[in-house]
C-alpha cells in the first residue's frame, strides 16, 4: 500500500512541483474530450493536473487516498464548482459505474496495481475506457540533473531513478489495447534555493528533513543550486511524457 508515502510532504509538493504543458491539455480537449466531459483524475495529489482540467470547464473527480495531499488540493481548488473530492484508491475509487469520459493519472500510475486499476477503469467509464498516463521527468543527460541524480543515490536509500513514462517497469504497454505516446520538452525553473530544496524533499524517496541524512541532503542540494543557478534561479530540463489510449 502506498497511501502514506507522501504524508508530511504535501505542502512542499504543492509549493514546488511544476504544472504540465498547455500543449498536452490542448491535445486532450482536441482529440479525446470536450469541456462537457467528466474526468476522473486518479492519484490527484495536491490538484496540479486537476486544476488544468477544471479550468477548461470539465467536472473532475479528484481521487486521492492521502489525506494530507487532498487537504492541500481542497485549498488549491476551492474556487471550482465542478470539483468533487474523493478520498479513495486507484483500485477502488468508489465512483459510480459508467460515470466518466476520461481517466487521467499524472505522476501516479507507477504506484497502482495495474490489473485492479484496469478493471476499475472499465467499471467507471461510460463507454470504452480511455486513460491518459502522464509524467514530468528530468532529462537525465543534462549535467545538473546527473549531479542531482548522484546526490539522490547517495542520500536517499529508496531512490531508483527519476519518474518517467517511458520506463519499461511502468507497465504502460501491457495496460493498453492500443495507445499513442506524446512528449513535450520544457524547463522546470526554481525561483530560489528554498523552492528547489522543497521540490526535492517532496519526493517519496527523500529522507525526513529533520533527520541527520536529511540535513546532509539539504546541504548537498544547496551546493548544487549555488553551482548551477543563474541570477538566483535554477532551470532544469524536463520532458513531459503522456500515453493515451484504450485500457486493456
Amino acid at each position: 500500500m502506498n497511501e502514506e508515502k507522501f504524508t508530511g510532504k504535501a505542502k512542499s509538493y504543492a509549493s514546488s512541483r511544476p504544472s504540465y504543458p498547455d500543449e498536452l491539455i490542448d491535445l486532450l480537449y482536441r482529440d479525446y474530450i470536450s469541456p462537457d466531459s467528466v474526468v476522473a483524475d486518479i492519484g490527484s495529489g495536491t490538484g496540479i493536473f486537476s486544476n488544468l482540467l477544471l479550468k477548461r470547464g470539465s467536472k473532475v473527480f479528484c481521487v486521492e487516498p492521502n489525506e494530507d495531499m487532498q487537504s492541500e488540493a481542497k485549498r488549491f481548488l476551492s474556487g471550482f464548482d465542478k470539483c468533487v473530492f474523493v478520498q479513495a484508491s486507484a483500485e477502488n475509487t468508489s465512483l459510480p459505474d459508467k460515470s466518466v469520459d476520461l481517466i487521467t493519472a499524472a505522476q501516479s500510475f507507477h504506484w497502482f496495481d495495474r490489473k485492479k486499476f484496469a478493471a476499475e477503469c472499465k467499471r467507471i467509464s461510460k463507454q470504452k475506457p480511455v486513460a491518459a498516463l502522464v509524467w514530468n521527468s528530468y532529462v537525465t543527460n543534462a549535467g545538473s540533473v546527473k549531479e542531482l541524480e548522484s546526490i539522490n543515490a547517495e542520500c536517499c536509500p529508496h531512490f531508483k531513478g527519476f519518474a518517467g513514462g517511458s520506463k519499461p517497469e511502468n507497465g504502460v504497454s501491457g495496460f493498453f489495447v492500443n495507445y499513442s505516446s506524446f512528449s513535450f520538452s520544457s524547463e522546470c525553473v526554481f525561483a530560489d534555493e528554498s523552492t528547489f530544496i522543497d521540490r526535492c524533499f517532496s519526493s517519496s524517496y527523500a529522507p525526513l528533513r529533520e533527520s541527520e541524512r536529511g540535513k546532509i541532503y539539504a546541504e548537498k542540494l544547496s551546493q548544487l543550486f549555488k553551482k548551477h543557478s543563474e541570477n538566483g534561479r535554477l532551470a532544469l530540463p524536463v520532458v513531459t511524457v503522456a500515453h493515451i489510449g484504450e485500457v486493456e
Side-chain angles (χ1 to χ4, degrees):
M1 303 296 286
N2 300 302
E3 283 82 352
E4 298 304 318
K5 284 188 177 291
F6 290 93
T7 297
K9 298 177 180 287
K11 291 187 183 300
S12 292
Y13 200 110
S15 66
S16 62
R17 291 275 179 145
S19 189
Y20 298 86
D22 290 339
E23 294 88 344
L24 169 58
I25 308 304
D26 291 341
L27 172 73
L28 287 175
Y29 281 90
R30 185 184 69 235
D31 296 345
Y32 295 94
I33 53 174
S34 73
D36 294 328
S37 298
V38 179
V39 183
D41 190 22
I42 311 297
S44 53
T46 61
I48 296 171
F49 198 79
S50 300
N51 174 58
L52 302 175
L53 304 169
L54 289 161
K55 283 182 174 179
R56 298 297 179 104
S58 291
K59 178 179 179 179
V60 180
F61 290 105
C62 299
V63 181
E64 169 58 46
N66 185 278
E67 185 176 355
D68 282 358
M69 298 288 272
Q70 193 162 80
S71 292
E72 287 295 323
K74 287 178 179 178
R75 282 188 278 272
F76 180 43
L77 303 176
S78 61
F80 293 104
D81 295 334
K82 292 184 178 181
C83 184
V84 181
F85 295 101
V86 182
Q87 189 170 349
S89 68
E91 300 82 5
N92 184 17
T93 65
S94 77
L95 298 182
D97 292 352
K98 300 185 183 303
S99 57
V100 305
D101 300 292
L102 176 72
I103 294 130
T104 60
Q107 222 73 22
S108 57
F109 177 74
H110 50 283
W111 297 115
F112 303 164
D113 181 304
R114 312 290 194 272
K115 290 184 179 180
K116 291 181 180 179
F117 178 53
E120 188 71 346
C121 289
K122 294 174 186 177
R123 184 186 70 78
I124 66 176
S125 294
K126 293 178 182 178
Q127 300 181 34
K128 66 180 181 180
V130 177
L133 310 180
V134 182
W135 286 268
N136 281 331
S137 186
Y138 293 128
V139 177
T140 54
N141 62 1
S144 53
V145 176
K146 286 181 179 179
E147 288 185 35
L148 178 57
E149 193 169 33
S150 178
I151 291 170
N152 286 342
E154 178 183 352
C155 297
C156 308
H158 301 293
F159 178 70
K160 296 179 180 178
F162 295 115
S166 60
K167 290 184 177 180
E169 61 266 30
N170 281 331
V172 166
S173 60
F175 180 73
F176 292 109
V177 174
N178 52 69
Y179 67 99
S180 299
S181 297
F182 308 90
S183 63
F184 308 87
S185 297
S186 61
E187 285 187 325
C188 184
V189 180
F190 300 99
D192 52 49
E193 181 179 314
S194 176
T195 304
F196 170 63
I197 293 177
D198 276 351
R199 164 61 185 90
C200 295
F201 273 102
S202 77
S203 297
S204 61
Y205 50 75
L208 296 175
R209 280 180 184 261
E210 61 271 19
S211 68
E212 191 60 34
R213 190 186 297 273
K215 293 174 183 176
I216 295 171
Y217 186 45
E219 178 58 31
K220 289 183 177 293
L221 293 173
S222 175
Q223 292 171 4
L224 185 150
F225 185 91
K226 289 179 173 62
K227 178 180 177 181
H228 291 283
S229 62
E230 295 184 8
N231 300 317
R233 297 159 63 90
L234 175 65
L236 298 180
V238 170
V239 62
T240 301
V241 176
H243 306 296
I244 310 171
E246 183 179 354
V247 179
E248 176 73 52

